[in-house]
Amino acid sequence: MKLIRARDYAHMSRQAANIISAQVILKPDSVLGLATGSSPIGAYRQLIDWFNKGDVDFSKIKTVNLDEYIGLNAENEQSYAYFMRKNFFDHINVRSENTFIPCGMNTDEAQECARYDALIRSLGGIDLQLLGLGPNGHIGFNEPDDVFTKGTHRVELTEATIQANKRFFESEEEVPRAAYTMGICDIMQALRVVMVVSGEEKAEIVKKAFFGPVTPRVPASILQLHKDFTLVADEAALKCF
Ligand code: GLP
């Protein structure tokens, strides 16, 4: 594991964007695994800025997102499909037909999960997976559990996640209770994994996840075993060291 210590959120975002842009410059047809949440937004903004300056070209990339709420369609402003368009895709030259995300409206769970795993395989796997860190150690929506779930699956969101994510909704009742998420094996098979973490409220979980035992009770801890994992965290998130 490589650790990049950033001064603050802005610095963290630029460092992560540097890694992602280097990936795309070196391999223009990269498959990027992308994440939602507030943590990666700054990196997306920086990449948009560099795109506007002509420094990076996204015309050949393909993207696969980690997760999507079940029951929200892609036009719903709370869906991750909408989040990705608003915060990234609409501002760069990625082709919309090359952007993929689980379909929250597919009620055939087994079919949707198998479809998404097959899709990742058909793209040749993920070159670089960007991740945030949930307050309980979740990655994507892989919640704390007794086991690591390998492939894409349906997950019931924990109370901690519902509480953490309600800030994006009008009320707590509106937060969907379930989601589709890539599994741990999908994430671990990415050639390179980059996680962005910012803020004091993540400091305890950063310590548990990356400096404690590897356990499905803290899903992000599995990343300690990844051969090319970079944690880009700001001083506040690293304050427990
Ligand atoms: C959601 C997403 C995760 C993300 C997490 C952290 O639960 N499914 O992929 O990492 O939020 O969000 P934030 O970056 O806003 O703390």
Side-chain angles (χ1 to χ4, degrees), residues 9 34-41 66-69 80 130-136 138-143 157 161 164-165 167-168 179 181 195-198 201-202:
Y9 181 84
L34 297 178
T36 55
S38 50
S39 305
I41 288 180
L66 283 166
D67 46 12
E68 179 61 283
Y69 288 115
Y80 285 164
L130 179 63
L131 294 175
L133 178 65
N136 57 3
H138 73 234
I139 46 177
F141 268 133
N142 289 275
E143 296 279 37
L157 303 185
T161 298
N165 289 3
R167 64 202 147 113
F168 297 112
T181 182
M195 175 182 278
V196 280
V197 192
S198 168
E201 57 293 350
K202 297 273 175 77

Side-chain angles (χ1 to χ4, degrees), residues 10-111:
H11 189 216
M12 173 202 79
S13 300
R14 280 199 305 281
Q15 298 288 62
N18 265 304
I19 298 170
I20 299 165
S21 67
Q23 171 73 43
V24 175
I25 290 166
L26 289 168
K27 187 178 181 218
D29 60 348
S30 288
V31 177
L32 300 182
L34 297 178
T36 55
S38 50
S39 305
I41 288 180
Y44 293 148
R45 287 207 184 116
Q46 182 63 74
L47 289 168
I48 292 166
D49 184 42
W50 287 333
F51 165 71
N52 287 329
K53 289 177 173 147
D55 290 345
V56 56
D57 172 23
F58 296 100
S59 61
K60 295 196 180 73
I61 64 160
K62 297 198 170 84
T63 70
V64 278
N65 260 80
L66 283 166
D67 46 12
E68 179 61 283
Y69 288 115
I70 291 180
L72 300 190
N73 68 46
E75 301 314 315
N76 187 307
E77 292 188 12
Q78 312 298 347
S79 72
Y80 285 164
Y82 186 94
F83 174 103
M84 289 309 300
R85 293 198 303 275
K86 180 171 139 238
N87 290 295
F88 197 34
F89 299 153
D90 283 355
H91 311 283
I92 58 170
N93 63 341
V94 63
R95 297 163 67 98
S96 60
E97 63 269 31
N98 286 341
T99 65
F100 303 98
I101 190 157
C103 175
M105 296 307 286
N106 191 348
T107 51
D108 185 339
E109 292 165 17
Q111 196 262 341

Side-chain angles (χ1 to χ4, degrees), residues 133 202-213 224 237 240-241:
L133 178 65
K202 297 273 175 77
E204 277 297 332
I205 194 68
V206 165
K207 185 177 175 188
K208 272 197 199 147
F210 304 118
F211 301 90
Q224 293 181 45
C240 291
F241 310 98

